[in-house]
Amino acid sequence: MASSDGFPASFYGEPGVLGMLSNGISAFLVLLQNFHTAHTGTAPAGVENILAGVHLILIGGVCQLVAGMLSFRKYDHLSGTAFIGYAALWGSYGATRIYFGASTQTPTIVPLPAQITNNLSLSTNMTSNMSLTATMVIPVFHVCLSIKETAIAGLVPYILLSFLLAFCSATVNYIMPLVFGAITATLVFEAVGLVASSWALVVSGVLELLILIFAIYGSAALLGKGLTQRLVLKGFGTPLFSVLLLGTTNSGSAQKIGQEKKKNTKYAEPMALGFFCDTVAPFIFAFYSFGYIKSFGVGVAWVSIITVAQLFSSYYAHLRQDCYHTTKFGLHATYWLIKAWDEFVLSALVLEDDKVASGREAMVGNWFFVMAGVMLCVGSLNTDVLELIHNMLFVLLTLSTIPQIALQGYYIFFGVACSLFTAASLYCTFSRLINTIAEKSLIPVGPQPISSEMLKKALMCCRANQGDQEALTQTDQGSDALFYISNGVAALSALHARSSSLNPAFLHLTVPWVLISGAIIQAYVSRLQVTGGGRFGSVIPTIYVAVWATWTWFRFSGNLLQLSAEAAYGFTAGAIALLVINAFLMLIAAYRNLVLLFLTSVMEVVLVCFLLSTLQRLPYEFEIATLALFSIICIYGALASLVNCIFSHRLLPMGPPLIKEKVRWESVPELPCPVANSRLTSSLMKIAGLLEEGGVCGVPTDTVYALAASCKNPRAIENIYNIKDRPAEKPICICISNVEQLVEAKPPFSPLLWEFMRNVYPGGISCIVSKGDWLFKLGVGPAYDRVGTKDSIMIRVPDHTVTGHLCDITGPLAITSANPSGEPDSTHHTMVINRLGHKLQGVLCDGDSNEVVASTVVNCLKIDEGTITIVREGCVPAVKVHQIFERVKSTMV
């Protein structure tokens, strides 16, 4: 059965209304404060700022996030990226307002010992020179220092990205460029207003008023379009300029584009959003590393919020069955979140600098990020040069944050690496946005570094039988690589010697490394495993969330809190329970593969170490060896899972399942009609024979299952109406295998119609064209009066090998959806058999359908007048159809 996640794009209305209104209202809230400040000369403080921040988070953040999520499901690349990106912006700006409000409350006066005062400079940035007195004001552990500097550091990358969004949106319509352009200018003056006089706030307020006006008009235009299914107000449907003016198609990327088409196209491409987030986070870290920001107390909020947006890009890549970007953006989100809270702890920590330095040097978790970055480089050899360069810069970034680097060069190295990574991410954002809008590689991304065949041969060199390319089974999931990565980072970060457990700096710094990767990110992986639909779902990652959360609480936070002996015994009971549960997980892993079985087996030993630690009987050397082995298994499991998922074959061995399911053969009730397996040629010939004899059969297509009858048998077409109780006034379309069949029939189509058809066929789009004598040449002769209407006919060319081959055998087929009239479409052959089997002569069984709704129907009767009409929006969004048509028209000029 098809997943309920796969609703058609038409179910989501016009999310742009919510997105633009969220921007307009958020700008209006800031406008009120700016005008008030400029008029009275008094900046808002306290509760006023806090309330404004909460409203910005709820309206500009949460509401716009919903709009972005719906846009991705509506296959709108640009709006999905823009709305989620701006949701992160308003959410971060709202958090900054809350910080401003908190910082103006009554501060806490903390007397500092003389020997500690010189160490606060280390905790605030490690490189800044600050002179402190024995008594100083420390609001909330210094986290409210550098609020304005952090806000400016966060606004600058959003200014650059907002400008890119405004430019890219000009290739789609001319309302969104006005909204996004006004936001760009507003952010510039908001940043200036943080350091300059009130004039900048006045200019910013005027621009925010323009945002509100443009957003209201754009929302009204989109709302009218959604209600009337036509453009009532101008602004949408006509771009300021054609995207094709930005360049010519890069032939070197043709293979990459072809690979992308194989992925699930129910959702928009999230790559631009992922690179968007990879631009903001390193830019803030670069400002911090070069000493412009003295404390990361506010920066942690900006980075954490943009990390959530990056997890959404990973999530939608997962829904598109794109395991590479699922893993990449999930890994990057993990890295940014851990580094943000790592620097936050340093900002809030006031300890002797020798303890902080020794605590950092004892941490080894960052090395797993280095290895994971190299793994992504291997995976990107199958994509393009730009992707490879971006991954290599990420490896450089992870190398720059190795804690063993001396502090004198650590932040300089990190800042330079962040700057290079920001520049690359900015270009990647632009190129992915333009190329996805154009559906062509207009902005250069480079050719594929190594051909897929060469890469396969290189990866299979370790297999005993290099000719064996076993296909992935249903138990293999695209999120498996991220599962291994999250566990590997947690295990390597938890590794430490006995002396380190006595260093409070090490204990403080290790908490985010283990908790974020092992618990928070793995909870996200658990969600992905649920959507993946594997046999055992998210059982293993869910249990390991509890394992690493408990480990962090007892081994690191527990030492800091100095838990009592009674509390330690409570953890002893918990460790025993986890040991028993993990034994069942080992049984589950035995059904999957040997790598997962080894992982769960080593986890059993790790839990034994945890049990011994609760009893104060832990042999640290044994624990170090166990955690190191666990991490090694994780890095291999991540690499093998990623490579195997990219190529859909097990190129790197994961080992067979130790326990194999035994299929129970039970008596099957007699089926109401003959069935045939689509994978067998003999079965296909059987169905073809039934159609030739005048039968009606259920067949798979590239969308949902259909009822088919041969055009050589008009009576069979009449039977379709009786079988599904279809009203006589509803016409039936014809299905052919390829466009060349139409060319041979020589219909009098215009060059524009021919070019449009070549761009949409084969696929989930049906075109309504004029009838004519050419249908007799096509082979529709006997059924001429029984298909289509008096003057028009709808033509389908499914992107489905089985259906195409069937049409080659039988000639054109008359088809309609395989469901009783007025009921939902059939998305599995069992639905066809159960609902209509007793009326059919046969069903060609092909499992789950590729889509959950029928094709999108386009009326092309007036295409020569420059217009097409969407009669029914199905699996292909209307937005995409119009984008294709506009692109085709521009090439015909």
Side-chain angles (χ1 to χ4, degrees):
M1 295 290 292
S3 170
S4 60
D5 286 341
F7 288 118
S10 57
F11 284 8
Y12 297 100
E14 292 293 345
V17 176
L18 177 60
M20 282 196 283
L21 281 179
S22 299
N23 278 311
I25 296 173
S26 299
F28 183 70
L29 290 173
V30 179
L31 173 153
L32 294 177
Q33 283 198 323
N34 286 344
F35 280 166
H36 179 269
T37 302
H39 178 68
T40 63
T42 304
V47 176
E48 182 182 348
N49 255 331
I50 293 174
L51 289 176
V54 171
H55 281 84
L56 286 176
I57 292 173
L58 292 177
I59 299 173
V62 177
C63 291
Q64 195 159 198
L65 176 64
V66 173
M69 294 167 63
L70 295 179
S71 295
F72 269 111
R73 291 177 178 266
K74 196 174 171 63
Y75 201 79
D76 189 343
H77 317 289
L78 178 65
S79 296
T81 302
F83 292 148
I84 293 184
Y86 283 134
L89 166 64
W90 291 117
S92 301
Y93 208 50
T96 304
R97 294 278 175 172
I98 294 174
Y99 274 101
F100 270 122
S103 65
T104 56
Q105 301 298 309
T106 304
T108 302
I109 308 298
V110 181
L112 295 181
Q115 68 269 23
I116 295 180
T117 56
N118 292 329
N119 299 316
L120 188 55
S121 60
L122 176 66
S123 68
T124 54
N125 194 353
M126 300 294 181
T127 58
S128 60
N129 295 317
M130 296 175 61
S131 59
L132 302 174
T133 60
T135 302
M136 65 174 299
V137 178
I138 309 177
V140 198
F141 294 98
H142 328 300
V143 297
C144 289
L145 294 175
S146 303
I147 298 180
K148 290 185 177 181
E149 291 81 358
T150 304
I152 293 172
L155 288 175
V156 173
Y158 278 110
I159 291 170
L160 300 174
L161 291 165
S162 184
F163 175 77
L164 288 184
L165 290 173
F167 180 83
C168 294
S169 62
T171 66
V172 178
N173 56 66
Y174 57 81
I175 291 297
M176 293 176 74
L178 295 176
V179 177
F180 298 163
I183 292 176
T184 305
T186 297
L187 295 180
V188 172
F189 287 98
E190 281 290 327
V192 174
L194 290 171
V195 295
S197 59
S198 60
W199 67 267
L201 296 179
V202 175
V203 177
S204 177
V206 172
L207 292 170
E208 283 153 357
L209 183 60
L210 290 178
I211 294 174
L212 178 62
I213 293 172
F214 294 149
I216 291 175
Y217 178 83
S219 300
L222 279 178
L223 190 60
K225 174 177 175 288
L227 293 175
T228 64
Q229 293 299 305
R230 60 190 182 89
L231 297 174
V232 179
L233 297 175
K234 294 183 178 180
F236 291 94
T238 304
L240 284 176
F241 63 90
S242 172
V243 69
L244 297 178
L245 296 176
L246 297 177
T248 56
T249 304
N250 182 6
S251 59
S253 299
Q255 185 175 1
K256 175 68 170 65
I257 298 297
Q259 291 169 351
E260 182 59 36
K261 287 182 178 178
K262 296 177 184 177
K263 297 183 173 63
N264 189 327
T265 55
K266 293 190 186 82
Y267 307 94
E269 297 175 17
M271 287 81 80
L273 176 61
F275 290 119
F276 183 108
C277 302
D278 273 337
T279 303
V280 176
F283 195 95
I284 296 173
F285 276 114
F287 265 56
Y288 175 70
S289 299
F290 291 136
Y292 181 75
I293 303 174
K294 306 304 180 184
S295 169
F296 211 69
V298 184
V300 70
W302 284 75
V303 176
S304 298
I305 290 172
I306 199 64
T307 296
V308 173
Q310 193 159 38
L311 286 178
F312 274 103
S313 67
S314 171
Y315 176 70
Y316 282 110
H318 175 73
L319 293 181
R320 287 176 60 84
Q321 301 167 13
D322 182 355
C323 58
Y324 169 76
H325 286 103
T326 301
T327 305
K328 174 173 179 170
F329 295 139
L331 173 66
H332 288 193
T334 307
Y335 178 77
W336 297 127
L337 196 58
I338 289 176
K339 285 302 299 177
W341 285 95
D342 182 59
E343 296 298 339
F344 170 78
V345 170
L346 284 175
S347 297
L349 208 57
V350 182
L351 291 168
E352 292 85 349
D353 50 0
D354 59 332
K355 287 187 176 295
V356 174
S358 62
R360 286 170 59 89
E361 290 175 1
M363 299 173 65
V364 294
N366 198 86
W367 285 101
F368 198 95
F369 281 116
V370 176
M371 294 182 286
V374 174
M375 176 196 72
L376 284 179
C377 289
V378 175
S380 60
L381 293 173
N382 190 51
T383 55
D384 52 57
V385 171
L386 181 61
E387 194 74 35
L388 178 60
I389 292 174
H390 192 261
N391 287 333
M392 292 173 68
L393 288 174
F394 181 74
V395 173
L396 177 67
L397 189 66
T398 57
L399 286 171
S400 71
T401 53
I402 293 173
Q404 288 72 34
I405 298 176
L407 288 177
Q408 291 77 8
Y410 177 91
Y411 281 101
I412 295 176
F413 189 8
F414 185 35
V416 172
C418 283
S419 301
L420 294 173
F421 192 74
T422 299
S425 299
L426 192 64
Y427 180 81
C428 288
T429 305
F430 177 65
S431 63
R432 300 306 184 201
L433 265 180
I434 291 297
N435 292 344
T436 50
I437 291 172
E439 295 190 340
K440 293 182 179 180
S441 183
L442 299 180
I443 307 301
V445 295
Q448 184 173 335
I450 300 177
S451 69
S452 299
E453 291 304 318
M454 288 182 61
L455 192 56
K456 282 184 180 181
K457 290 179 181 179
L459 293 171
M460 290 184 64
C461 64
C462 60
R463 294 184 70 99
N465 182 5
Q466 295 190 15
D468 179 21
Q469 293 188 26
E470 181 185 354
L472 297 184
T473 63
Q474 194 175 15
T475 59
D476 299 289
Q477 298 193 40
S479 57
D480 285 346
L482 202 54
F483 163 75
Y484 287 109
I485 288 173
S486 59
N487 280 287
V489 173
L492 203 59
S493 301
L495 190 151
H496 67 282
R498 183 189 299 272
S499 58
S500 300
S501 63
L502 303 176
N503 186 340
F506 173 83
L507 298 176
H508 278 292
L509 292 170
T510 306
V511 168
W513 283 83
V514 180
L515 186 64
I516 290 174
S517 58
I520 297 175
I521 298 300
Q522 192 155 204
Y524 163 71
V525 173
S526 176
R527 176 68 180 90
L528 297 186
Q529 297 276 13
V530 171
T531 60
R535 174 177 171 79
F536 297 104
S538 61
V539 176
I540 295 178
T542 301
I543 298 301
Y544 285 0
V545 167
V547 169
W548 292 118
T550 307
W551 185 289
T552 306
W553 178 252
F554 179 76
R555 295 295 300 278
F556 304 117
S557 301
N559 283 346
L560 293 170
L561 297 174
Q562 298 180 349
L563 295 176
S564 64
E566 291 78 7
Y569 290 141
F571 281 98
T572 302
I576 295 173
L578 290 173
L579 276 168
V580 175
I581 294 173
N582 192 70
F584 287 100
L585 298 185
M586 293 168 60
L587 181 63
I588 292 175
Y591 282 92
R592 295 281 300 274
N593 54 64
L594 287 180
V595 172
L596 187 60
L597 179 60
F598 288 154
L599 184 78
T600 52
S601 301
V602 176
M603 176 58 86
E604 190 78 357
V605 182
V606 171
L607 288 171
V608 171
C609 293
F610 180 68
L611 174 62
L612 293 175
S613 69
T614 63
L615 300 173
Q616 304 298 319
R617 297 289 188 272
L618 175 64
Y620 276 87
E621 293 76 10
F622 179 67
E623 183 188 64
I624 290 173
T626 305
L627 289 173
L629 177 60
F630 188 89
S631 300
I632 292 171
I633 295 174
C634 284
I635 194 63
Y636 177 79
L639 176 62
S641 298
L642 179 64
V643 169
N644 295 345
C645 189
I646 288 174
F647 290 100
S648 300
H649 287 88
R650 289 185 176 171
L651 303 181
L652 293 180
M654 295 285 283
L658 201 63
I659 303 176
K660 296 184 178 180
E661 290 184 85
K662 294 182 179 179
V663 180
R664 296 182 178 179
W665 297 97
E666 301 177 353
S667 58
V668 180
E670 184 178 352
L671 296 174
C673 66
V675 297
N677 189 334
S678 65
R679 292 183 173 85
L680 300 178
T681 303
S682 58
S683 297
L684 197 63
M685 299 301 295
K686 176 183 177 181
I687 295 296
L690 292 172
L691 292 171
E692 294 278 3
E693 294 171 2
V696 176
C697 298
V699 299
T701 69
D702 56 342
T703 55
V704 294
Y705 277 80
L707 298 182
S710 173
C711 288
K712 300 173 184 176
N713 299 289
R715 291 293 299 274
I717 299 175
E718 294 176 3
N719 287 340
I720 290 180
Y721 284 91
N722 297 327
I723 289 171
K724 61 178 294 181
D725 297 325
R726 184 178 179 85
E729 64 272 12
K730 288 189 175 183
I732 291 179
C733 71
I734 62 170
C735 172
I736 57 178
S737 61
N738 56 71
V739 180
E740 298 309 314
Q741 286 185 335
L742 278 177
V743 175
E744 293 173 3
K746 298 180 180 180
F749 294 164
S750 66
L752 179 59
L753 179 55
W754 278 118
E755 189 63 25
F756 180 69
M757 284 182 157
R758 287 191 173 95
N759 275 268
V760 300
Y761 289 152
I765 296 176
S766 303
C767 294
I768 299 176
V769 298
S770 298
K771 259 185 172 181
D773 294 341
W774 57 272
L775 285 170
F776 292 94
K777 299 178 183 178
L778 189 64
V780 184
Y784 184 88
D785 295 327
R786 291 174 176 81
V787 292
T789 65
K790 181 180 178 181
D791 302 314
S792 63
I793 182 74
M794 187 168 74
I795 300 175
R796 276 275 279 134
V797 184
D799 189 10
H800 196 278
T801 304
V802 173
T803 314
H805 191 37
L806 186 63
C807 290
D808 285 334
I809 299 172
T810 63
L813 295 174
I815 65 169
T816 184
S817 57
N819 58 291
S821 186
E823 294 188 15
D825 296 314
S826 297
T827 56
H828 196 275
H829 60 257
T830 55
M831 295 179 68
V832 183
I833 295 170
N834 294 337
R835 298 199 288 180
L836 300 173
H838 60 288
K839 299 180 180 180
L840 302 178
Q841 281 66 56
V843 174
L844 187 59
C845 302
D846 195 49
D848 287 326
S849 62
N850 294 334
E851 302 287 349
V852 294
V853 287
S855 63
T856 297
V857 179
V858 183
N859 188 335
C860 299
L861 295 175
K862 296 183 179 181
I863 193 170
D864 294 335
E865 300 175 14
T867 60
I868 58 173
T869 305
I870 306 299
V871 178
R872 178 188 70 196
E873 186 172 16
C875 62
V876 180
V879 173
K880 184 176 181 181
V881 176
H882 283 294
Q883 287 176 353
I884 295 173
F885 182 57
E886 292 298 328
R887 187 178 70 239
V888 170
K889 279 202 303 184
S890 63
T891 58
M892 298 296 292
V893 176

